[in-house]
Amino acid sequence: MISQTLTLPNGRTLKNRIVKSAMSEALADDHNNPSQGQIDLFRRWSAGGAAMLITGNTPVDRWHLEHAGNFVLDPLSDLDQVARLTEAAKCGGAIVLAQLAHAGRQTPQAVNPMPTSISTEEMDLAGYGTPQQATNADLEAVVEKFSRSAQLAQEAGFDGVQIHGAHGYLLSSALSPRINTRHDQWGGPLENRARLLLSVVRAVRMAVNPEFIVVVKLNSSDFQKGGFSHEESVLVAQMLEAEGVDFIEISGGTFETPTAYQHASQKESTKAREGYFLEYAKAIKAAISIPLMVTGGFRSAEVMNGALERAETDLIGMGRPFIIDPEFPTKLLSGALEMAPAVERGFPPASELPRGAVLNWFCEQLSLLGRMGDTNLELSVEDGHERYLAFIQAATGALLSARTETGLQRPGS
Ligand SMILES: Cc1cc2nc3c(=O)[nH]c(=O)nc-3n(C[C@H](O)[C@H](O)[C@H](O)COP(=O)(O)O)c2cc1C
């Protein structure tokens, strides 16, 4: 099953069912353009056999990055350099999407101390600035920026874009009644909370060619009291289908409730923990007729094939295995491997580790893979975590210096 092709509603065909889901590479240069290491990494992933590669967070606005090292798609971008990235990413026959994002209140404080958000609701975590409630004009500008970035993505050779509507970033926070406390046309009933995401999808669809792929990453739930619920997720999926998206990727959680990257400790039944959003995807799958991609925890070919055979999903999204072995899809597809790498299973349970340690360990490995060409799997979870925190600080310092050198000023500051 994982070897079968899939044709999307817009006529583009994926050569198999394995997709590299978005992983923030944080490998851009100080001006937020792709680095050579990032380009080389995408070349390697493309040759590795996946049908589709989705870039990590690619902000539409350089004042709302998720990480100082994001590569940005805006009028200041070096499109020739971005085109080198898309060319490399397509060399092995993969279809390549840019994940367009606006970090909203999840923008690191050092990047922007006063990020635009859907409301003034502050993060429950340290390191984030004071959210400024967007005006009507701000939200219209956000829609415009997504559509502008999609056009730039098309110009630079991407096959499509994924609009990031998950994980607590701006579009996701707008869906959440907990964060979106507005009483105007952008808040209140679901129809209003979904307006920003749907307006972005509509504007992007209108700005690009019909064969350009437009997809959305959506939370199956925020897994947060008073947040975007599973029942609402099913309804939004139907709204997205009506807007003509080519497929929906299902994930879950926010920075405050990081359920997207779970790891099964050895004590638990690992098979049961594979594809941990499948259970939630069922109701979504039943409600729509466009393809669905589920991401989170898939590792064994058996579980992937089972989910495809039972039509619980159409595409298998994976992240972490691509860091450990960029060439694993070819091996899994040929049967040479029965399982994608699952090194996280050897880690202690999350409850015994510092917050974010496992994710930061993977981020550090991804960074090493891009900058040095190889990972260092000998690194302990704690050391990887610490090194990545230091790397974030260094990258942020370099970004701020570059901004000062070029005289780049935050609008309104
Ligand atoms: C290092 C790392 C960076 C990630 N960055 C992003 C990102 O930029 N955008 C996104 O939507 N998800 C991001 N994710 C989540 C992955 O897309 C995926 O949903 C998650 O890792 C679960 O899949 P897996 O179990 O196959 O790793 C990231 C995950 C990891 C491990």
Side-chain angles (χ1 to χ4, degrees):
M1 287 295 296
I2 47 175
S3 306
Q4 281 179 358
T5 60
L6 178 77
T7 300
L8 299 178
N10 77 344
R12 293 294 308 268
T13 298
L14 281 79
K15 63 182 179 178
N16 59 57
R17 304 300 179 99
I18 298 181
V19 177
K20 187 200 80 67
S21 61
M23 285 190 295
S24 181
E25 303 94 24
L27 289 168
D29 67 19
D30 302 345
H31 301 281
N32 301 104
N33 290 309
S35 62
Q36 190 56 45
Q38 192 169 12
I39 293 171
D40 294 341
L41 181 55
F42 271 93
R43 182 175 296 110
R44 204 167 157 191
W45 276 331
S46 190
M52 179 179 272
L53 304 175
I54 305 177
T55 68
N57 256 276
T58 305
V60 300
D61 173 339
R62 60 182 64 230
W63 295 100
H64 294 90
L65 310 177
E66 158 272 335
H67 185 294
N70 290 151
F71 94 85
V72 171
L73 275 168
D74 77 359
L76 294 180
S77 303
D78 177 352
L79 272 204
D80 290 338
Q81 187 69 353
V82 180
R84 281 178 209 113
L85 183 137
T86 57
E87 198 187 330
K90 293 203 272 192
C91 76
I95 289 178
V96 187
L97 310 188
Q99 185 184 56
L100 300 185
H102 183 298
R105 70 191 201 120
Q106 293 186 164
T107 306
Q109 183 168 24
V111 170
N112 186 344
M114 296 168 77
T116 300
S117 179
I118 199 68
S119 71
T120 54
E121 288 295 313
E122 294 195 12
M123 293 285 285
D124 274 346
L125 300 169
Y128 300 93
T130 311
Q132 308 295 301
Q133 178 162 322
T135 61
N136 202 39
D138 290 336
L139 293 176
E140 281 167 5
V142 165
V143 173
E144 176 55 34
K145 282 174 191 166
F146 270 93
S147 118
R148 181 182 71 183
S149 297
Q151 280 175 303
L152 292 171
Q154 183 172 264
E155 222 176 292
F158 279 100
D159 298 296
V161 290
Q162 177 177 68
I163 294 160
H164 201 341
H167 302 171
Y169 297 107
L170 182 65
L171 304 182
S172 159
S173 67
L175 291 169
S176 162
R178 181 188 169 107
I179 313 302
N180 183 347
T181 50
R182 302 172 76 105
H183 299 291
D184 59 4
Q185 78 269 31
W186 306 98
L190 181 63
E191 180 196 346
N192 284 359
R193 281 180 278 125
R195 194 180 305 281
L196 185 58
L197 174 62
L198 298 180
S199 304
V200 164
V201 170
R202 201 170 302 151
V204 165
R205 192 69 277 176
M206 278 174 62
V208 296
N209 298 328
E211 64 273 15
F212 195 72
I213 299 166
V214 179
V215 309
V216 169
K217 187 163 184 169
L218 183 70
N219 274 354
S220 51
S221 166
D222 286 351
F223 299 103
Q224 201 165 27
K225 198 161 180 270
F228 181 57
S229 68
H230 181 44
E231 293 70 28
E232 290 184 327
S233 172
V234 176
L235 297 172
V236 172
Q238 288 177 317
M239 296 175 194
L240 290 170
E241 174 169 23
E243 290 297 337
V245 302
D246 291 295
F247 69 81
I248 296 171
E249 177 184 357
I250 292 301
S251 185
T254 69
F255 274 22
E256 290 167 343
T257 51
T259 43
Y261 347 83
Q262 302 171 26
H263 78 282
S265 82
Q266 273 161 336
K267 290 172 220 149
E268 295 159 293
S269 156
T270 47
K271 249 183 211 166
R273 297 294 306 262
E274 279 201 36
Y276 38 72
F277 292 123
L278 270 179
E279 190 189 326
Y280 296 90
K282 270 184 200 156
I284 298 173
K285 182 84 180 116
I288 58 172
S289 50
I290 52 171
L292 195 71
M293 163 168 155
V294 180
T295 302
F298 283 106
R299 299 294 179 265
S300 66
E302 189 191 342
V303 171
M304 294 175 206
N305 285 326
L308 292 168
E309 269 162 34
R310 289 188 299 276
E312 292 169 356
T313 185
D314 301 289
L315 291 167
I316 305 288
M318 275 177 277
R320 291 165 284 188
F322 281 90
I323 300 175
I324 305 305
D325 180 2
E327 284 84 30
F328 86 87
T330 303
K331 301 174 198 166
L332 205 67
L333 290 162
S334 71
L337 259 190
E338 284 179 7
M339 258 190 82
V343 293
E344 65 279 2
R345 292 201 183 150
F347 293 170
S351 56
E352 292 171 19
L353 292 164
R355 188 186 169 91
V358 173
L359 175 62
N360 284 339
W361 183 90
F362 276 100
C363 288
E364 176 65 14
Q365 299 296 347
L366 176 51
S367 180
L368 289 173
L369 189 62
R371 287 182 293 131
M372 313 295 188
D374 209 355
T375 51
N376 174 6
L377 303 184
E378 301 298 308
L379 261 187
S380 69
V381 181
E382 287 85 354
D383 285 351
H385 171 60
E386 290 299 329
R387 285 193 198 189
Y388 195 67
L389 293 179
F391 171 72
I392 294 178
Q393 218 174 3
T396 307
L399 176 80
L400 299 182
S401 304
R403 281 180 178 176
T404 308
E405 271 165 37
T406 53
L408 196 67
Q409 297 241 336
R410 183 163 51 85
S413 62

